[in-house]
């Protein structure tokens, strides 16, 4: 009976020791903002103006 109690105590102690496990921490990569230039804000309207002027010239 003592061996059965000892085995039960050891099995409970062993199961709680491995409950968490050793997992690698998940580290998220840093967020990098895309580089924008100030000329891109005026480029699209200029292209539209050129296209409209070309369409009006025909």
């Amino acid at each position: 009976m003592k061996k059965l109690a000892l085995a039960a105590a050891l099995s409970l102690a062993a199961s709680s020791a491995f409950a968490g496990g050793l997992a690698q921490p998940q580290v998220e990569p840093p967020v990098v903002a895309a580089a924008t230039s100030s000329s891109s804000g005026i480029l699209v309207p200029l292209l539209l103006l050129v296209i409209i002027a070309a369409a009006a010239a025909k």
Side-chain angles (χ1 to χ4, degrees):
M1 189 68 167
K2 287 183 184 181
K3 288 182 181 180
L4 182 62
L6 181 62
L10 288 177
S11 67
L12 287 176
S15 65
S16 64
F18 294 112
L22 295 175
Q24 295 291 330
Q26 298 294 326
V27 179
E28 295 182 13
V31 177
V32 178
T36 59
S37 63
S38 61
S39 66
S40 66
I42 198 162
L43 185 64
V44 174
L46 285 177
L47 284 174
L48 288 175
L49 187 62
V50 169
I51 292 172
I52 290 173
K58 288 185 179 182

Coordinates of all heavy atoms in Angstrom, one line a residue:
M1 N 0.8 -1.2 0.0 CA 0.0 0.0 0.0 C 0.9 1.3 0.0 O 0.5 2.2 -0.6 CB -0.9 -0.1 1.2 CG -2.0 1.0 1.2 SD -3.1 0.6 -0.1 CE -4.4 1.7 0.3
K2 N 2.0 1.2 0.7 CA 2.9 2.4 0.7 C 3.5 2.6 -0.7 O 3.6 3.8 -1.0 CB 4.0 2.1 1.7 CG 3.6 2.2 3.2 CD 4.8 2.0 4.1 CE 4.4 2.0 5.5 NZ 5.6 1.8 6.4
K3 N 3.8 1.6 -1.4 CA 4.3 1.8 -2.8 C 3.3 2.4 -3.7 O 3.6 3.3 -4.5 CB 4.7 0.4 -3.4 CG 6.0 -0.1 -2.7 CD 6.4 -1.4 -3.4 CE 7.6 -2.0 -2.7 NZ 8.1 -3.3 -3.3
L4 N 2.0 2.1 -3.5 CA 1.0 2.6 -4.3 C 0.8 4.1 -4.0 O 0.7 5.0 -4.9 CB -0.4 1.9 -4.1 CG -1.6 2.4 -4.9 CD1 -1.3 2.2 -6.4 CD2 -2.8 1.7 -4.5
A5 N 0.9 4.5 -2.7 CA 0.7 5.9 -2.3 C 1.9 6.7 -2.8 O 1.8 7.8 -3.3 CB 0.6 6.0 -0.8
L6 N 3.1 6.1 -2.8 CA 4.3 6.8 -3.2 C 4.3 6.9 -4.7 O 4.6 8.0 -5.3 CB 5.6 5.9 -2.8 CG 6.9 6.5 -3.2 CD1 7.1 7.8 -2.5 CD2 8.0 5.5 -2.9
A7 N 3.8 6.0 -5.5 CA 3.7 6.1 -6.9 C 2.7 7.1 -7.3 O 2.9 7.9 -8.2 CB 3.3 4.7 -7.5
A8 N 1.6 7.2 -6.6 CA 0.6 8.2 -6.8 C 1.1 9.6 -6.6 O 0.9 10.6 -7.3 CB -0.7 8.0 -6.0
A9 N 1.9 9.8 -5.5 CA 2.4 11.1 -5.2 C 3.5 11.5 -6.2 O 3.5 12.7 -6.6 CB 3.0 11.0 -3.8
L10 N 4.3 10.6 -6.6 CA 5.3 10.9 -7.6 C 4.7 11.2 -9.0 O 5.1 12.1 -9.7 CB 6.3 9.7 -7.8 CG 7.3 9.6 -6.6 CD1 8.1 8.4 -6.8 CD2 8.1 10.8 -6.4
S11 N 3.6 10.5 -9.3 CA 3.0 10.8 -10.6 C 2.3 12.2 -10.6 O 2.3 12.9 -11.6 CB 1.9 9.7 -11.0 OG 0.9 9.8 -10.1
L12 N 1.7 12.6 -9.5 CA 1.1 13.9 -9.4 C 2.2 15.0 -9.4 O 2.0 16.0 -10.1 CB 0.3 14.0 -8.1 CG -1.1 13.3 -8.1 CD1 -1.7 13.4 -6.7 CD2 -2.0 13.8 -9.2
A13 N 3.3 14.8 -8.8 CA 4.4 15.7 -8.8 C 5.0 15.9 -10.2 O 5.3 17.0 -10.6 CB 5.4 15.4 -7.7
A14 N 5.1 14.8 -10.9 CA 5.7 14.8 -12.2 C 4.8 15.5 -13.2 O 5.2 16.2 -14.1 CB 6.0 13.4 -12.7
S15 N 3.5 15.3 -13.1 CA 2.6 15.9 -14.1 C 2.5 17.4 -13.9 O 2.3 18.1 -14.8 CB 1.2 15.3 -13.9 OG 0.6 15.6 -12.7
S16 N 2.6 17.9 -12.6 CA 2.5 19.3 -12.4 C 3.9 20.0 -12.8 O 3.9 21.2 -13.2 CB 2.2 19.7 -11.0 OG 3.2 19.2 -10.1
A17 N 4.9 19.3 -12.8 CA 6.2 19.8 -13.2 C 6.3 20.1 -14.7 O 6.9 21.0 -15.2 CB 7.4 18.9 -12.8
F18 N 5.6 19.3 -15.5 CA 5.6 19.5 -17.0 C 4.4 20.2 -17.5 O 4.1 20.2 -18.7 CB 5.7 18.1 -17.7 CG 7.0 17.4 -17.4 CD1 7.1 16.3 -16.6 CD2 8.2 18.0 -17.9 CE1 8.3 15.7 -16.4 CE2 9.4 17.4 -17.6 CZ 9.5 16.2 -16.9
A19 N 3.6 20.8 -16.6 CA 2.3 21.4 -17.0 C 2.5 22.6 -18.0 O 1.9 22.7 -19.0 CB 1.5 21.8 -15.8
G20 N 3.5 23.4 -17.7 CA 3.7 24.6 -18.5 C 4.5 24.3 -19.8 O 4.3 24.9 -20.8
G21 N 5.5 23.5 -19.7 CA 6.4 23.2 -20.8 C 7.4 24.4 -21.0 O 7.2 25.5 -20.5
L22 N 8.3 24.1 -21.9 CA 9.3 25.1 -22.2 C 9.1 25.6 -23.6 O 9.7 24.9 -24.6 CB 10.8 24.6 -22.0 CG 11.1 24.3 -20.6 CD1 12.5 23.6 -20.5 CD2 11.1 25.5 -19.7
A23 N 8.3 26.6 -23.8 CA 8.1 27.1 -25.2 C 8.9 28.3 -25.4 O 9.1 29.1 -24.5 CB 6.6 27.4 -25.4
Q24 N 9.3 28.5 -26.7 CA 10.0 29.7 -27.0 C 9.1 30.9 -27.1 O 7.9 30.8 -27.5 CB 10.7 29.6 -28.4 CG 11.7 28.5 -28.5 CD 13.0 28.9 -27.7 OE1 13.3 30.1 -27.6 NE2 13.6 27.9 -27.1
P25 N 9.5 32.0 -26.5 CA 8.6 33.2 -26.6 C 8.4 33.7 -28.0 O 9.3 33.7 -28.8 CB 9.3 34.3 -25.7 CG 10.7 33.8 -25.7 CD 10.7 32.3 -25.9
Q26 N 7.2 34.1 -28.3 CA 6.8 34.6 -29.6 C 7.1 36.1 -29.7 O 6.4 36.9 -29.0 CB 5.4 34.3 -30.0 CG 5.0 32.8 -30.0 CD 5.7 32.1 -31.2 OE1 6.0 32.7 -32.2 NE2 6.1 30.9 -30.9
V27 N 8.1 36.5 -30.4 CA 8.4 37.9 -30.5 C 8.0 38.4 -31.9 O 8.4 37.9 -32.9 CB 9.9 38.2 -30.3 CG1 10.3 39.6 -30.5 CG2 10.4 37.6 -29.0
E28 N 7.2 39.5 -31.9 CA 6.7 40.0 -33.1 C 7.7 41.0 -33.7 O 8.3 41.7 -33.0 CB 5.4 40.8 -32.9 CG 4.2 39.9 -32.4 CD 2.9 40.7 -32.3 OE1 2.9 41.8 -32.7 OE2 2.0 40.1 -31.7
P29 N 7.9 41.0 -35.0 CA 8.8 41.9 -35.6 C 8.3 43.3 -35.5 O 7.1 43.6 -35.5 CB 8.9 41.5 -37.1 CG 7.6 40.8 -37.3 CD 7.2 40.1 -36.0
P30 N 9.2 44.3 -35.4 CA 8.8 45.7 -35.3 C 8.2 46.2 -36.6 O 8.5 45.7 -37.7 CB 10.1 46.5 -35.0 CG 11.2 45.6 -35.6 CD 10.7 44.2 -35.4
V31 N 7.2 47.0 -36.4 CA 6.5 47.6 -37.6 C 7.3 48.7 -38.2 O 7.6 49.7 -37.5 CB 5.1 48.1 -37.2 CG1 4.3 48.7 -38.4 CG2 4.3 46.9 -36.6
V32 N 7.6 48.6 -39.5 CA 8.4 49.7 -40.1 C 7.4 50.4 -41.1 O 6.8 49.8 -41.9 CB 9.5 49.0 -40.9 CG1 10.3 50.1 -41.6 CG2 10.4 48.2 -40.0
A33 N 7.4 51.7 -40.9 CA 6.5 52.5 -41.8 C 7.2 52.7 -43.1 O 8.4 52.9 -43.2 CB 6.3 53.9 -41.1
A34 N 6.4 52.7 -44.2 CA 7.0 52.9 -45.5 C 7.4 54.3 -45.7 O 6.7 55.3 -45.3 CB 5.9 52.5 -46.5
A35 N 8.5 54.5 -46.4 CA 9.0 55.9 -46.6 C 8.1 56.5 -47.7 O 7.9 55.9 -48.8 CB 10.4 55.8 -47.0
T36 N 7.6 57.7 -47.5 CA 6.8 58.4 -48.5 C 7.5 59.7 -48.8 O 8.1 60.3 -47.9 CB 5.4 58.6 -48.0 OG1 5.5 59.4 -46.8 CG2 4.7 57.3 -47.7
S37 N 7.4 60.1 -50.0 CA 8.0 61.4 -50.4 C 6.9 62.4 -50.5 O 5.8 62.1 -50.9 CB 8.8 61.3 -51.6 OG 8.0 60.9 -52.7
S38 N 7.2 63.7 -50.4 CA 6.2 64.7 -50.5 C 5.8 65.0 -52.0 O 4.8 65.5 -52.2 CB 6.7 66.0 -49.9 OG 7.9 66.4 -50.5
S39 N 6.7 64.6 -52.9 CA 6.4 64.8 -54.3 C 5.3 63.9 -54.8 O 4.7 64.2 -55.8 CB 7.6 64.7 -55.2 OG 8.1 63.3 -55.1
S40 N 5.1 62.8 -54.2 CA 4.0 61.8 -54.6 C 2.6 62.4 -54.5 O 1.7 62.0 -55.2 CB 4.1 60.5 -53.9 OG 3.8 60.7 -52.5
G41 N 2.5 63.3 -53.6 CA 1.2 64.0 -53.4 C 0.8 64.9 -54.5 O -0.4 65.1 -54.8
I42 N 1.7 65.4 -55.2 CA 1.4 66.3 -56.3 C 1.6 65.6 -57.7 O 1.1 66.1 -58.7 CB 2.3 67.6 -56.3 CG1 1.8 68.7 -57.1 CG2 3.7 67.2 -56.7 CD1 2.3 70.0 -56.8
L43 N 2.2 64.4 -57.7 CA 2.4 63.7 -59.0 C 1.1 63.3 -59.6 O 0.9 63.4 -60.8 CB 3.4 62.6 -58.7 CG 3.8 61.8 -59.9 CD1 4.7 62.7 -60.8 CD2 4.6 60.6 -59.5
V44 N 0.2 62.7 -58.8 CA -1.0 62.2 -59.4 C -1.9 63.3 -60.0 O -2.4 63.1 -61.1 CB -1.8 61.4 -58.3 CG1 -3.2 60.9 -58.8 CG2 -1.0 60.2 -57.9
P45 N -2.1 64.4 -59.3 CA -2.9 65.5 -59.9 C -2.3 66.0 -61.2 O -3.0 66.4 -62.1 CB -3.0 66.6 -58.8 CG -2.8 65.8 -57.6 CD -1.8 64.7 -57.9
L46 N -0.9 66.1 -61.2 CA -0.3 66.6 -62.4 C -0.5 65.6 -63.6 O -0.7 66.0 -64.7 CB 1.2 66.8 -62.2 CG 1.6 68.0 -61.4 CD1 3.1 68.1 -61.1 CD2 1.1 69.3 -62.1
L47 N -0.4 64.3 -63.3 CA -0.6 63.3 -64.4 C -2.1 63.4 -64.9 O -2.3 63.3 -66.1 CB -0.3 61.9 -63.9 CG 1.1 61.6 -63.8 CD1 1.3 60.2 -63.1 CD2 1.8 61.6 -65.1
L48 N -3.0 63.6 -64.0 CA -4.4 63.8 -64.4 C -4.6 65.0 -65.2 O -5.4 65.0 -66.2 CB -5.3 63.8 -63.2 CG -5.5 62.5 -62.4 CD1 -6.3 62.7 -61.2 CD2 -6.2 61.4 -63.3
L49 N -3.9 66.1 -64.9 CA -4.0 67.3 -65.6 C -3.5 67.1 -67.0 O -4.1 67.6 -68.0 CB -3.3 68.4 -64.9 CG -3.4 69.9 -65.5 CD1 -4.9 70.3 -65.4 CD2 -2.6 70.8 -64.7
V50 N -2.4 66.4 -67.2 CA -1.8 66.2 -68.5 C -2.7 65.3 -69.3 O -2.9 65.6 -70.5 CB -0.4 65.5 -68.3 CG1 0.1 65.0 -69.6 CG2 0.6 66.5 -67.7
I51 N -3.3 64.3 -68.7 CA -4.2 63.4 -69.5 C -5.4 64.2 -69.9 O -5.9 64.0 -71.1 CB -4.6 62.2 -68.6 CG1 -3.4 61.3 -68.4 CG2 -5.7 61.4 -69.2 CD1 -3.6 60.2 -67.4
I52 N -6.0 65.0 -69.1 CA -7.2 65.8 -69.5 C -6.8 66.8 -70.6 O -7.6 67.0 -71.5 CB -7.7 66.5 -68.2 CG1 -8.3 65.5 -67.3 CG2 -8.8 67.6 -68.6 CD1 -8.8 66.1 -65.9
A53 N -5.6 67.4 -70.4 CA -5.2 68.4 -71.5 C -5.0 67.7 -72.8 O -5.3 68.2 -73.9 CB -3.9 69.1 -71.0
A54 N -4.4 66.5 -72.8 CA -4.2 65.7 -74.0 C -5.5 65.3 -74.6 O -5.7 65.3 -75.9 CB -3.3 64.5 -73.7
A55 N -6.5 64.9 -73.8 CA -7.8 64.6 -74.3 C -8.5 65.8 -74.9 O -9.3 65.6 -75.9 CB -8.6 63.9 -73.2
A56 N -8.3 66.9 -74.3 CA -9.0 68.1 -74.8 C -8.4 68.6 -76.1 O -9.0 69.3 -76.9 CB -9.0 69.2 -73.7
A57 N -7.1 68.4 -76.3 CA -6.4 68.8 -77.5 C -6.8 68.0 -78.7 O -6.6 68.5 -79.9 CB -4.9 68.7 -77.3
K58 N -7.3 66.9 -78.6 CA -7.7 66.0 -79.7 C -8.9 66.5 -80.4 O -9.8 66.9 -80.4 CB -7.8 64.5 -79.3 CG -6.5 64.0 -79.1 CD -6.6 62.5 -78.8 CE -5.3 61.9 -78.5 NZ -5.3 60.4 -78.3

